[in-house]
């Protein structure tokens, strides 16, 4: 296995500790208190999108998630194809893998197992650590919660690209210049068997030094999904290259109706 080495990264640091999540009952109680109602413990907002108790409240946690999410995703495009985890077999699988990894307890054994020991300097998300979240390992919304006590049943460990877009992220803009590290670019290609496709906006690499410094070195990573009889592959591209893609349907520009826009994870949405 090819491990990330600390010397190959741009920033030094030390991995901090992680705080475990409070139980679901505590989170529900907090939600009930914020709703100002003595009835259901879940607010309408909790029922419709991502519960408040799963959202990352602090700017530090949101930044930590973005940094881990983008670094994990980018690393999969840099490592030898044979070392990419078998579960990463399409674009949605990459999102799920990096999302879980960003929230995971980054113990020494986990870092070694995933080959990510070189990222130990990144700060952890402190609100909770996967899989010990208020909803356990089921962290992806897959349907609306209908009926009493249906919230947990509306989350699962698996979600495809369309479901991740519909229930786990919110629309930001069709102007790619507004994308932040960790945001997702979604496309819909109706002529494909799996019409929804996603790319991770990494921004500037935390792994490879030597950026040009001209503001034109933002990168994206994605998995192609199966191509004919091939299982597909990880790819890493510069945004400026994607904007000039030979096929106009893959260009992230407002004039391209196949480009659905820039989306941001619900857990990163600040309280209103």
């Amino acid at each position: 296995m090819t491990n990330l080495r600390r010397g190959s990264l741009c920033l030094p640091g030390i991995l901090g500790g992680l705080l475990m999540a409070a139980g679901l009952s505590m989170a529900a109680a907090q939600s009930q208190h914020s709703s100002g109602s003595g009835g259901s413990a879940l607010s309408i907002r909790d029922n419709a999108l991502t519960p408040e108790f799963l959202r990352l409240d602090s700017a530090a946690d949101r930044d930590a998630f973005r940094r881990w999410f983008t670094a994990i995703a980018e690393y999969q495009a840099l490592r030898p194809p044979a070392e990419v985890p078998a579960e990463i077999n399409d674009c949605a699988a990459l999102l799920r893998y990096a999302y879980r990894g960003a929230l995971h307890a980054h113990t020494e054994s986990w870092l070694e197992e995933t080959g990510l020991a070189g990222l130990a300097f990144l700060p952890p998300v402190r609100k909770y650590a996967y899989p010990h979240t208020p909803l356990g390992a089921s962290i992806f919304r897959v349907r609306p919660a209908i009926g009493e006590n249906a919230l947990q049943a509306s989350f699962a460990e698996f979600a495809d690209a369309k479901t991740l877009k519909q229930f786990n992220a919110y629309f930001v803009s069709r102007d790619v210049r507004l994308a932040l590290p960790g945001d997702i670019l979604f496309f819909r290609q109706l002529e494909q068997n799996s019409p929804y496709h996603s790319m991770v906006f990494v921004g500037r690499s935390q792994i490879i030094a030597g950026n040009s410094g001209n503001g034109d070195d933002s990168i994206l990573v994605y998995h192609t999904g199966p191509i004919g009889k091939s299982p597909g592959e990880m790819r890493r591209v510069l945004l400026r290259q994607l904007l000039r893609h030979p096929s106009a349907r893959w260009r992230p520009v407002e004039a391209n109706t196949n480009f659905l826009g820039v989306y941001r994870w619900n857990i990163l949405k600040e309280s209103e």
Side-chain angles (χ1 to χ4, degrees):
M1 175 181 293
T2 300
N3 287 335
L4 237 55
R5 299 300 179 189
R6 290 179 175 80
S8 67
L9 299 164
C10 303
L11 299 172
I14 301 174
L15 179 65
L18 284 163
L19 298 180
M20 302 300 286
L24 178 60
S25 60
M26 179 181 295
Q30 291 173 341
S31 179
Q32 178 178 359
H33 181 267
S34 64
S35 69
S37 170
S40 173
L42 298 172
S43 68
I44 294 176
R45 181 182 301 168
D46 288 343
N47 189 51
L49 298 171
T50 295
E52 294 285 354
F53 59 76
L54 284 181
R55 293 191 188 182
L56 301 180
D57 308 303
S58 71
D61 269 0
R62 292 190 292 272
D63 179 67
F65 175 88
R66 290 182 183 279
R67 296 181 69 184
W68 274 103
F69 178 78
T70 54
I72 292 171
E74 183 185 7
Y75 180 48
Q76 308 316 312
L78 294 172
R79 68 196 311 186
E83 294 184 6
V84 176
E87 67 181 276
I88 302 178
N89 55 13
D90 63 16
C91 62
L94 175 65
L95 298 187
R96 295 191 302 270
Y97 183 86
Y99 189 102
R100 290 194 305 265
L103 295 173
H104 207 284
H106 304 128
T107 61
E108 184 176 352
S109 60
W110 182 86
L111 290 168
E112 291 297 331
E113 178 184 349
T114 57
L116 297 171
L119 297 179
F121 70 89
L122 291 177
V125 171
R126 295 185 178 275
K127 183 171 182 177
Y128 52 79
Y130 178 88
H132 306 291
T133 79
L135 293 176
S138 299
I139 56 176
F140 300 111
R141 192 84 186 241
V142 294
R143 65 179 68 89
I146 301 175
E148 191 174 356
N149 300 322
L151 179 64
Q152 190 147 5
S154 69
F155 280 78
E157 296 183 47
F158 175 89
D160 60 17
K162 180 180 179 180
T163 304
L164 291 172
K165 169 189 170 294
Q166 182 176 1
F167 292 110
N168 298 271
Y170 65 96
F171 176 76
V172 174
S173 175
R174 296 189 73 240
D175 184 348
V176 73
R177 293 174 298 179
L178 299 181
L180 297 176
D183 286 351
I184 312 300
L185 275 59
F186 279 102
F187 295 80
R188 183 171 56 192
Q189 311 290 3
L190 296 178
E191 63 274 24
Q192 298 181 177
N193 290 333
S194 300
Y196 285 87
H197 185 71
S198 59
M199 300 181 182
V200 176
F201 183 83
V202 174
R204 292 191 177 184
S205 177
Q206 300 178 88
I207 298 175
I208 297 180
N211 290 323
S212 64
N214 61 7
D216 196 25
D217 50 14
S218 292
I219 61 174
L220 300 101
V221 297
Y222 61 97
H223 193 285
T224 64
I227 302 176
K229 295 182 179 180
S230 164
E233 63 187 13
M234 287 292 310
R235 292 183 182 174
R236 181 180 184 272
V237 298
L238 288 168
L239 175 59
R240 64 174 181 266
Q241 295 173 327
L242 189 62
L243 289 168
R244 299 194 300 268
H245 195 284
S247 177
R249 67 193 180 99
W250 288 111
R251 296 174 190 164
V253 296
E254 295 185 61
N256 176 16
T257 57
N258 295 89
F259 175 52
L260 300 179
V262 177
Y263 283 73
R264 190 162 296 157
W265 294 112
N266 286 341
I267 62 169
L268 299 176
K269 191 170 187 177
E270 300 181 40
S271 299
E272 299 175 354

